[in-house]
Amino acid sequence: GESVGLHLPTLSVQEGDNSIINCAYSNSASDYFIWYKQESGKGPQFIIDIRSNMDKRQGQRVTVLLNKTVKHLSLQIAATQPGDSAVYFCAEGGYKTDSWGKFQFGAGTQVVVTP
Amino acid sequence: DTEVTQTPKHLVMGMTNKKSLKCEQHMGHRAMYWYKQKAKKPPELMFVYSYEKLSINESVPSRFSPECPNSSLLNLHLHALQPEDSALYLCASSQARNPEAFFGQGTRLTVV
């Protein structure tokens, strides 16, 4: 079936360095691709999304890249800080009639920021 | 107010009990979601409501019964659960056709 997955289960990053988190997806019909951050004991927190008709979107300290040719999504975090330590999930979905609001999450990457 | 409030935060229930999880938002969002999350796993979509109507049921067993009594409230009624249903149950909401979902902190459910 269709699935969303991640290449790396754990990413260790030195404080101040840039982080890159990767995600592979297989449902080419998805309209949106989203990144969430989940800290321990909390619900996921929206970071940024990108529509399927775009290949790059920037936010505050974050950039999401979408490569539809190879079905790959990445999240770049600039100048990683200790507060960025969390599990990061990609998700995909959209609003087609038979799957309205159906957003499914990938496996997640644990990001650990070291001093 | 950008908060999704879930109650209770923790719940322990027996396999013959009936309980309900509650979720509330006052952001005017017309899409609401229930997810189930096991430890160290991603959230799994259970139900989606759009304008108070059920739009997605991800083949969830009937012992889970969702209800959306109005645009601010979402309930999940639980009956005859199994120990394997123990998990964190997350509620989320978003504007319709907007992928930016706001999640609550979840209800940690233990079935004994």
Side-chain angles (χ1 to χ4, degrees), chain A residues 31-32 34 36 38 41-46 49 89 95-108 110, chain B residues 31 33 35 37 41-43 45 48-50 55-56 58 88 90 94-101 103-105:
Chain A
D31 296 319
Y32 292 92
I34 308 151
Y36 285 95
Q38 187 173 25
K42 295 185 178 181
Q45 178 186 4
F46 175 91
D49 71 278
F89 293 103
Y95 300 99
K96 294 180 171 57
T97 304
D98 61 348
S99 58
W100 197 101
K102 185 173 177 176
F103 286 92
Q104 294 187 314
F105 283 66
Q110 174 78 57
Chain B
Y33 312 78
Y35 285 85
Q37 187 176 27
K41 295 290 187 182
L45 184 65
V48 179
Y49 273 83
S50 167
S55 67
I56 298 283
E58 286 286 83
L88 180 69
L90 292 161
S94 71
Q95 294 178 8
R97 308 190 75 84
N98 186 326
E100 182 177 357
F103 280 79
Q105 289 207 319

Side-chain angles (χ1 to χ4, degrees), chain A residues 2-4 7 9 12 24-25 27 40-41 44 51 53 59 61 71 78 86 89 93-95 101 107 111 113-114:
Chain A
E2 302 285 10
S3 66
V4 180
H7 296 305
S12 186
Y25 68 91
N27 186 357
S40 182
R51 282 200 77 162
N53 61 357
R61 275 201 312 121
K71 296 182 182 175
F89 293 103
Y95 300 99
V111 172
V113 181
T114 58

Side-chain angles (χ1 to χ4, degrees), chain B residues 47-60:
Chain B
F47 303 104
V48 179
Y49 273 83
S50 167
Y51 292 89
E52 296 89 70
K53 288 188 169 52
L54 184 66
S55 67
I56 298 283
N57 176 343
E58 286 286 83
S59 302
V60 179

Side-chain angles (χ1 to χ4, degrees), chain A residues 52-70:
Chain A
S52 59
N53 61 357
M54 300 171 68
D55 53 22
K56 181 178 179 179
R57 191 169 186 215
Q58 289 184 291
Q60 189 176 9
R61 275 201 312 121
V62 295
T63 300
V64 57
L65 299 177
L66 177 63
N67 186 330
K68 293 181 285 295
T69 302
V70 295

Side-chain angles (χ1 to χ4, degrees), chain B residues 22-112:
Chain B
K22 295 185 184 303
C23 174
E24 191 167 4
Q25 57 87 16
H26 296 287
M27 294 178 277
H29 291 170
R30 303 308 295 272
M32 296 188 77
Y33 312 78
W34 281 114
Y35 285 85
K36 172 184 177 180
Q37 187 176 27
K38 292 277 208 178
K40 301 195 186 301
K41 295 290 187 182
E44 296 174 25
L45 184 65
M46 299 175 72
F47 303 104
V48 179
Y49 273 83
S50 167
Y51 292 89
E52 296 89 70
K53 288 188 169 52
L54 184 66
S55 67
I56 298 283
N57 176 343
E58 286 286 83
S59 302
V60 179
S62 60
R63 58 186 184 268
F64 296 91
S65 175
E67 178 196 21
C68 190
N70 61 55
S71 59
S72 300
L73 292 174
L74 187 66
N75 298 321
L76 186 62
H77 302 298
L78 314 172
H79 174 53
L81 294 193
Q82 303 297 310
E84 58 264 30
D85 296 321
S86 298
L88 180 69
Y89 288 84
L90 292 161
C91 172
S93 71
S94 71
Q95 294 178 8
R97 308 190 75 84
N98 186 326
E100 182 177 357
F102 292 76
F103 280 79
Q105 289 207 319
T107 293
R108 177 75 60 189
L109 175 68
T110 303
V111 182
V112 297

Side-chain angles (χ1 to χ4, degrees), chain A residues 11-41:
Chain A
L11 180 66
S12 186
V13 181
Q14 198 156 18
E15 184 177 355
D17 286 352
N18 296 337
S19 305
I20 299 177
I21 308 165
N22 296 302
C23 176
Y25 68 91
S26 57
N27 186 357
S28 55
S30 290
D31 296 319
Y32 292 92
F33 301 87
I34 308 151
W35 283 100
Y36 285 95
K37 171 187 180 183
Q38 187 173 25
E39 296 174 276
S40 182

